[in-house]
C-alpha cells in the first residue's frame, strides 16, 4: 500500500549558475535574485508546498570579497540583498528550502568556462578555491563569512529554511 511521503521536493539549483548571490566577479554587477525576482517568484509558485534544494554560492564566482593576500574579507552587501530575496520568495510561495552552500566545482581544477554566446566566444573565469577547503585558516574565514552573511540577511526571521547541505557532490 502506498503511503504519503514525509515531504516531496525538487532541485531549483540556480537561475544563473554562480551568480545568484552577490556581485559577479566576472561582470562586476549584480545578476542575482534581486535582479530576477519575477523569474524567481514564477519558479517558486510552481514549487509551492514542496521542499526545494537551492544552491547559494556554488563555486564562489560571485559575492565573496577576497583581499590581495587571498584572505576572505566577507560577502559583499549585495549578497545579503539577494539572499533575502530568495528567502522572501520562498516564504511568499510556501516553499521550504534546503540551502546547498557550495558545489564541487569550487575545487575541481577548472578555472575557466569557454562558450559561444551566439556572437562571440566567451572566456569566463570560474571560482576555483581549493584552499578554502584544504587550508584550516581559510576554511575558518569562509565559515565566518557565511555565518555573518546569514546574520546580515536576518535568516532567523524566515521559517522557510529547514536544512542545509554543505557540499553538492563532494565526491567529485
Amino acid at each position: 500500500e502506498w503511503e504519503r511521503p514525509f515531504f516531496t521536493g525538487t532541485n531549483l539549483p540556480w537561475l544563473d549558475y554562480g551568480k545568484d548571490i552577490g556581485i559577479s566577479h566576472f561582470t562586476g554587477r549584480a545578476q542575482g535574485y534581486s535582479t530576477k525576482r519575477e523569474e524567481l517568484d514564477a519558479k517558486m509558485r510552481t514549487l509551492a508546498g514542496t521542499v526545494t534544494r537551492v544552491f547559494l554560492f556554488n563555486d564562489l564566482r560571485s559575492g565573496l570579497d577576497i583581499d590581495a593576500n587571498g584572505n576572505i574579507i566577507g560577502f559583499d552587501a549585495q549578497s545579503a540583498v539577494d539572499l533575502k530575496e530568495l528567502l522572501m520568495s520562498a516564504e511568499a510561495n510556501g516553499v521550504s528550502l534546503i540551502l546547498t552552500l557550495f558545489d564541487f566545482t569550487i575545487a575541481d581544477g577548472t578555472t575557466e568556462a569557454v562558450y559561444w554566446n551566439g556572437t562571440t566566444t566567451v572566456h569566463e573565469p570560474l571560482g576555483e578555491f581549493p584552499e578554502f577547503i584544504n587550508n584550516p585558516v581559510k576554511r575558518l574565514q569562509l565559515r565566518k563569512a557565511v555565518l555573518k552573511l546569514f546574520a546580515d540577511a536576518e535568516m532567523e526571521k524566515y521559517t522557510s529554511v529547514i536544512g542545509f547541505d554543505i557540499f553538492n557532490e563532494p565526491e567529485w
Side-chain angles (χ1 to χ4, degrees), residues 3-17:
E3 292 185 29
R4 180 180 162 90
F6 177 67
F7 59 82
T8 60
T10 188
N11 275 330
L12 173 64
W14 56 80
L15 298 182
D16 191 354
Y17 184 89

Side-chain angles (χ1 to χ4, degrees), residues 33-156:
Y33 293 123
S34 62
T35 67
K36 300 174 183 164
R37 182 61 189 263
E38 288 181 23
E39 180 183 356
L40 178 61
D41 279 340
K43 289 186 182 282
M44 288 289 182
R45 278 192 296 278
T46 68
L47 300 169
T50 68
V51 174
T52 301
R53 186 170 167 253
V54 178
F55 288 34
L56 289 186
F57 311 121
N58 297 300
D59 63 359
L60 293 169
R61 70 178 74 176
S62 293
L64 193 64
D65 287 331
I66 304 168
D67 70 17
N69 296 318
N71 293 306
I72 298 169
I73 298 167
F75 283 89
D76 59 42
Q78 184 63 42
S79 296
V81 173
D82 288 328
L83 181 53
K84 281 184 178 183
E85 290 294 326
L86 172 65
L87 299 172
M88 287 187 294
S89 182
E91 295 272 324
N93 290 288
V95 177
S96 296
L97 299 175
I98 297 174
L99 300 178
T100 301
L101 302 184
F102 308 106
D103 192 17
F104 74 92
T105 57
I106 192 175
D108 68 346
T110 305
T111 59
E112 178 182 65
V114 179
Y115 58 91
W116 180 256
N117 70 1
T119 308
T120 186
T121 301
V122 176
H123 295 265
E124 183 173 348
L126 306 178
E128 184 62 21
F129 301 103
E131 66 275 17
F132 295 164
I133 299 164
N134 300 327
N135 180 314
V137 172
K138 302 229 187 263
R139 192 170 52 240
L140 179 60
Q141 291 172 352
L142 182 58
R143 186 174 79 201
K144 287 180 178 179
V146 169
L147 293 174
K148 182 173 183 328
L149 173 60
F150 289 172
D152 291 347
E154 302 175 297
M155 189 179 287
E156 73 279 0

Side-chain angles (χ1 to χ4, degrees), residues 18-19 22-31 61-63 76 124:
K19 299 175 192 158
I23 302 293
S24 167
H25 298 286
F26 178 60
T27 65
R29 62 186 171 83
Q31 295 175 250
R61 70 178 74 176
S62 293
D76 59 42
E124 183 173 348

